Amino acid sequence: MKLTLEGISDRKEWEQKGYKLPEYNIEKMRENTKSKPFWIHFGAGNLFRAFHARVVQNMLNVGAIDRGLVVAEGFDYEIIKKMYEPHDNLGLVATLKSDGSIDKDVVASVAEALPLDSADEKAYNRLKEIFANDSFQMATFTITEKGYSLVNAKGETMADVAADFEAGPDKPSSYMGKVASLLYNRYVNGAKPIAMVSTDNCSHNGDKLYAAIDEFAKAWSKNGVAEAGFADYVNSDKVSFTWSMIDKITPRPDANVEKMLLDDGVEGLDPVITSKNTYVAPFVNAEETEYLVIEDKFPNGREALEAGGLMFTDRETVDKVEKMKVCTCLNPLHTALAIYGCLLGYDKISEEMKDDDLRKMIEIIGYKEGLPVVVNPGILDPKKFIKTVLEVRLPNPFMPDTPQRIATDTSQKLAIRFGETIKAYMASDELEASDLKLIPLVFAGWLRYLMAVDDNGNAFEPSSDPMLAELTPYLKDIKWNDEQAEKKILPILAKSEIFGVNLAEAGLLCRVVKYFKELIAGVGAVRTTLHKYVSNN
């Protein structure tokens, strides 16, 4: 059982093992897509394969559409060469359900997989051809928030971006430069309409994409290396940069899932670690729950993607959905579990959900502290969303997600995931921020986490974070029951950019300090403190 077009031609063997195969003519689908492409996606990683590609697969299976999509990879070309091409662009998606069952889908909806490489003349010309096609409706992205940035950590324009500004759209080397050059090709071929749709998990994602493309258009116009009208085109109603909210957990391919597939007889599943340290495998493991809410602004029209489970609405509603998820219903709960999970020695989120103290902590943060200030977007119900998170998603024992992964970049997350809730309390005439009990416990727990010592007194390696080098020196000399602890942590607590608010003005500074002192009382103090405060709320 090989994951290739020839390998899946023996349908009976696959189907007997419980695999769902494509129910459409793959060759005909690829012919239709080549002549009339409608959707290209940038970012060939796990989220795309488990979500976007499956949406199209499901629609192809029921005859709702007759074309697939094209994927382009602009960060790590080896993903295309070492993972897509050897498997004829097929993917295997293992959907790990909370009831213990597993859906195994062979996904064939990717008609073409191309490197976004201006030095690869054949591939780049094909991408230009797609962007120039009248039928082309949308370009979507999962390239991470960093992918849209044109500056480095110091705020300086990156060297490849600066070079592209000067050289123009012919052979750019930066990611956004290449995307801008493809859009420029659509402009010079008739200024045709298109929707540019970021589906990255960041706030107002469409604005980040727009800002990058707009800067390129203006720089090229200013430097005389592109037609001046391109900047006007980017800012016209012919080009939309829609907002979206995406939510689906797709952890790194898991060894247990790989073994299950191998036991079924599937061959050639060896993962690949590329020269850019990308870990990819022919299969993806993902949770069953998924949401993609998109601003319905498609200048060249769109397919009826609602049939694939996508939700379309106005920009204001997308914003409400995004804030609901990021500030209340999922992300804050994840971060709280990540911090305390690392301190208490857990290596799976699902195992944490069996811990009464941890489960009660996030129930209080979600239902009691978050929900009173969340704005109901209408298209999704916040209370039901939290219920699904707590009862279906996080407890799923088959999802190999870890607190260590979620703890990455925590300093960049606290302001949004908790600060916005505190701001809403501060702005309320009926609620007092100083009444919050568990959100400040998360802040105190994060400071305790930065000590890089777990609740048993054993050192651990903190997850990567851009502020680790700056913050850890404040905590490196703190001892159990340290009388100088408050003095040592106050410089961190004064950084309102981390917490999203001035903690003193919010009436929470003293509480965070008090909690922290209790958390450093000695071995076992994290558990004792956590239990004390979740039991009292």
PDB file of all heavy atoms in Angstrom, residues 391-405:
ATOM      1  N   GLU A 391     -14.764  19.816  26.570  1.00  0.00           N
ATOM      2  CA  GLU A 391     -15.296  18.457  26.625  1.00  0.00           C
ATOM      3  C   GLU A 391     -14.898  17.575  25.444  1.00  0.00           C
ATOM      4  O   GLU A 391     -14.964  16.348  25.545  1.00  0.00           O
ATOM      5  CB  GLU A 391     -16.826  18.509  26.735  1.00  0.00           C
ATOM      6  CG  GLU A 391     -17.308  19.198  28.012  1.00  0.00           C
ATOM      7  CD  GLU A 391     -18.823  19.220  28.148  1.00  0.00           C
ATOM      8  OE1 GLU A 391     -19.504  18.565  27.317  1.00  0.00           O
ATOM      9  OE2 GLU A 391     -19.328  19.895  29.060  1.00  0.00           O
ATOM     10  N   VAL A 392     -14.477  18.188  24.346  1.00  0.00           N
ATOM     11  CA  VAL A 392     -14.145  17.408  23.156  1.00  0.00           C
ATOM     12  C   VAL A 392     -12.685  17.595  22.740  1.00  0.00           C
ATOM     13  O   VAL A 392     -11.952  16.620  22.558  1.00  0.00           O
ATOM     14  CB  VAL A 392     -15.068  17.780  21.971  1.00  0.00           C
ATOM     15  CG1 VAL A 392     -14.667  17.011  20.711  1.00  0.00           C
ATOM     16  CG2 VAL A 392     -16.521  17.511  22.320  1.00  0.00           C
ATOM     17  N   ARG A 393     -12.269  18.840  22.630  1.00  0.00           N
ATOM     18  CA  ARG A 393     -10.983  19.096  21.990  1.00  0.00           C
ATOM     19  C   ARG A 393      -9.786  18.840  22.904  1.00  0.00           C
ATOM     20  O   ARG A 393      -8.908  18.038  22.590  1.00  0.00           O
ATOM     21  CB  ARG A 393     -10.957  20.533  21.463  1.00  0.00           C
ATOM     22  CG  ARG A 393     -12.083  20.835  20.497  1.00  0.00           C
ATOM     23  CD  ARG A 393     -12.066  22.262  20.008  1.00  0.00           C
ATOM     24  NE  ARG A 393     -10.910  22.517  19.146  1.00  0.00           N
ATOM     25  CZ  ARG A 393     -10.640  23.700  18.607  1.00  0.00           C
ATOM     26  NH1 ARG A 393     -11.429  24.735  18.874  1.00  0.00           N
ATOM     27  NH2 ARG A 393      -9.593  23.852  17.834  1.00  0.00           N
ATOM     28  N   LEU A 394      -9.737  19.535  24.035  1.00  0.00           N
ATOM     29  CA  LEU A 394      -8.574  19.398  24.909  1.00  0.00           C
ATOM     30  C   LEU A 394      -8.455  18.018  25.552  1.00  0.00           C
ATOM     31  O   LEU A 394      -7.332  17.522  25.735  1.00  0.00           O
ATOM     32  CB  LEU A 394      -8.600  20.491  25.984  1.00  0.00           C
ATOM     33  CG  LEU A 394      -8.510  21.937  25.472  1.00  0.00           C
ATOM     34  CD1 LEU A 394      -8.503  22.913  26.636  1.00  0.00           C
ATOM     35  CD2 LEU A 394      -7.289  22.147  24.595  1.00  0.00           C
ATOM     36  N   PRO A 395      -9.546  17.343  25.917  1.00  0.00           N
ATOM     37  CA  PRO A 395      -9.403  16.018  26.542  1.00  0.00           C
ATOM     38  C   PRO A 395      -9.100  14.888  25.559  1.00  0.00           C
ATOM     39  O   PRO A 395      -8.880  13.753  25.988  1.00  0.00           O
ATOM     40  CB  PRO A 395     -10.777  15.778  27.186  1.00  0.00           C
ATOM     41  CG  PRO A 395     -11.504  17.069  27.131  1.00  0.00           C
ATOM     42  CD  PRO A 395     -10.951  17.801  25.959  1.00  0.00           C
ATOM     43  N   ASN A 396      -9.092  15.170  24.270  1.00  0.00           N
ATOM     44  CA  ASN A 396      -8.926  14.137  23.256  1.00  0.00           C
ATOM     45  C   ASN A 396      -7.603  13.389  23.474  1.00  0.00           C
ATOM     46  O   ASN A 396      -6.526  13.940  23.237  1.00  0.00           O
ATOM     47  CB  ASN A 396      -8.949  14.769  21.864  1.00  0.00           C
ATOM     48  CG  ASN A 396      -8.937  13.739  20.748  1.00  0.00           C
ATOM     49  OD1 ASN A 396      -8.573  12.585  20.954  1.00  0.00           O
ATOM     50  ND2 ASN A 396      -9.344  14.151  19.565  1.00  0.00           N
ATOM     51  N   PRO A 397      -7.643  12.139  23.929  1.00  0.00           N
ATOM     52  CA  PRO A 397      -6.413  11.413  24.263  1.00  0.00           C
ATOM     53  C   PRO A 397      -5.582  11.037  23.044  1.00  0.00           C
ATOM     54  O   PRO A 397      -4.419  10.644  23.181  1.00  0.00           O
ATOM     55  CB  PRO A 397      -6.928  10.150  24.971  1.00  0.00           C
ATOM     56  CG  PRO A 397      -8.282   9.941  24.390  1.00  0.00           C
ATOM     57  CD  PRO A 397      -8.845  11.317  24.152  1.00  0.00           C
ATOM     58  N   PHE A 398      -6.172  11.173  21.873  1.00  0.00           N
ATOM     59  CA  PHE A 398      -5.454  10.790  20.654  1.00  0.00           C
ATOM     60  C   PHE A 398      -4.737  11.964  20.003  1.00  0.00           C
ATOM     61  O   PHE A 398      -4.048  11.788  18.999  1.00  0.00           O
ATOM     62  CB  PHE A 398      -6.434  10.144  19.665  1.00  0.00           C
ATOM     63  CG  PHE A 398      -7.127   8.956  20.248  1.00  0.00           C
ATOM     64  CD1 PHE A 398      -8.403   9.063  20.780  1.00  0.00           C
ATOM     65  CD2 PHE A 398      -6.487   7.731  20.321  1.00  0.00           C
ATOM     66  CE1 PHE A 398      -9.037   7.971  21.342  1.00  0.00           C
ATOM     67  CE2 PHE A 398      -7.111   6.636  20.895  1.00  0.00           C
ATOM     68  CZ  PHE A 398      -8.390   6.750  21.405  1.00  0.00           C
ATOM     69  N   MET A 399      -4.900  13.144  20.571  1.00  0.00           N
ATOM     70  CA  MET A 399      -4.232  14.326  20.038  1.00  0.00           C
ATOM     71  C   MET A 399      -2.892  14.513  20.749  1.00  0.00           C
ATOM     72  O   MET A 399      -2.860  14.829  21.943  1.00  0.00           O
ATOM     73  CB  MET A 399      -5.105  15.569  20.227  1.00  0.00           C
ATOM     74  CG  MET A 399      -6.170  15.703  19.174  1.00  0.00           C
ATOM     75  SD  MET A 399      -5.482  15.892  17.508  1.00  0.00           S
ATOM     76  CE  MET A 399      -4.658  17.456  17.687  1.00  0.00           C
ATOM     77  N   PRO A 400      -1.777  14.313  20.056  1.00  0.00           N
ATOM     78  CA  PRO A 400      -0.460  14.375  20.704  1.00  0.00           C
ATOM     79  C   PRO A 400       0.049  15.796  20.860  1.00  0.00           C
ATOM     80  O   PRO A 400       1.190  16.099  20.508  1.00  0.00           O
ATOM     81  CB  PRO A 400       0.405  13.562  19.738  1.00  0.00           C
ATOM     82  CG  PRO A 400      -0.200  13.819  18.393  1.00  0.00           C
ATOM     83  CD  PRO A 400      -1.690  13.935  18.630  1.00  0.00           C
ATOM     84  N   ASP A 401      -0.777  16.683  21.414  1.00  0.00           N
ATOM     85  CA  ASP A 401      -0.341  18.062  21.588  1.00  0.00           C
ATOM     86  C   ASP A 401       0.276  18.227  22.975  1.00  0.00           C
ATOM     87  O   ASP A 401      -0.150  17.587  23.940  1.00  0.00           O
ATOM     88  CB  ASP A 401      -1.512  19.032  21.410  1.00  0.00           C
ATOM     89  CG  ASP A 401      -1.060  20.362  20.835  1.00  0.00           C
ATOM     90  OD1 ASP A 401       0.160  20.535  20.632  1.00  0.00           O
ATOM     91  OD2 ASP A 401      -1.913  21.223  20.588  1.00  0.00           O
ATOM     92  N   THR A 402       1.249  19.105  23.083  1.00  0.00           N
ATOM     93  CA  THR A 402       2.031  19.214  24.317  1.00  0.00           C
ATOM     94  C   THR A 402       1.984  20.617  24.905  1.00  0.00           C
ATOM     95  O   THR A 402       1.913  21.603  24.168  1.00  0.00           O
ATOM     96  CB  THR A 402       3.502  18.851  24.070  1.00  0.00           C
ATOM     97  OG1 THR A 402       4.115  19.875  23.256  1.00  0.00           O
ATOM     98  CG2 THR A 402       3.621  17.515  23.352  1.00  0.00           C
ATOM     99  N   PRO A 403       2.057  20.722  26.234  1.00  0.00           N
ATOM    100  CA  PRO A 403       2.152  22.051  26.845  1.00  0.00           C
ATOM    101  C   PRO A 403       3.435  22.761  26.438  1.00  0.00           C
ATOM    102  O   PRO A 403       3.471  23.993  26.352  1.00  0.00           O
ATOM    103  CB  PRO A 403       2.121  21.751  28.352  1.00  0.00           C
ATOM    104  CG  PRO A 403       2.461  20.306  28.491  1.00  0.00           C
ATOM    105  CD  PRO A 403       2.002  19.649  27.240  1.00  0.00           C
ATOM    106  N   GLN A 404       4.474  21.998  26.143  1.00  0.00           N
ATOM    107  CA  GLN A 404       5.738  22.604  25.743  1.00  0.00           C
ATOM    108  C   GLN A 404       5.601  23.330  24.401  1.00  0.00           C
ATOM    109  O   GLN A 404       6.169  24.411  24.213  1.00  0.00           O
ATOM    110  CB  GLN A 404       6.835  21.534  25.661  1.00  0.00           C
ATOM    111  CG  GLN A 404       7.271  20.966  27.006  1.00  0.00           C
ATOM    112  CD  GLN A 404       6.263  20.002  27.630  1.00  0.00           C
ATOM    113  OE1 GLN A 404       5.432  19.412  26.927  1.00  0.00           O
ATOM    114  NE2 GLN A 404       6.317  19.841  28.943  1.00  0.00           N
ATOM    115  N   ARG A 405       4.834  22.758  23.475  1.00  0.00           N
ATOM    116  CA  ARG A 405       4.613  23.429  22.190  1.00  0.00           C
ATOM    117  C   ARG A 405       3.799  24.697  22.381  1.00  0.00           C
ATOM    118  O   ARG A 405       4.118  25.752  21.830  1.00  0.00           O
ATOM    119  CB  ARG A 405       3.901  22.492  21.205  1.00  0.00           C
ATOM    120  CG  ARG A 405       3.693  23.113  19.821  1.00  0.00           C
ATOM    121  CD  ARG A 405       2.874  22.204  18.911  1.00  0.00           C
ATOM    122  NE  ARG A 405       1.452  22.280  19.160  1.00  0.00           N
ATOM    123  CZ  ARG A 405       0.631  23.179  18.608  1.00  0.00           C
ATOM    124  NH1 ARG A 405       1.109  24.129  17.811  1.00  0.00           N
ATOM    125  NH2 ARG A 405      -0.656  23.160  18.875  1.00  0.00           N
TER     126      ARG A 405
END
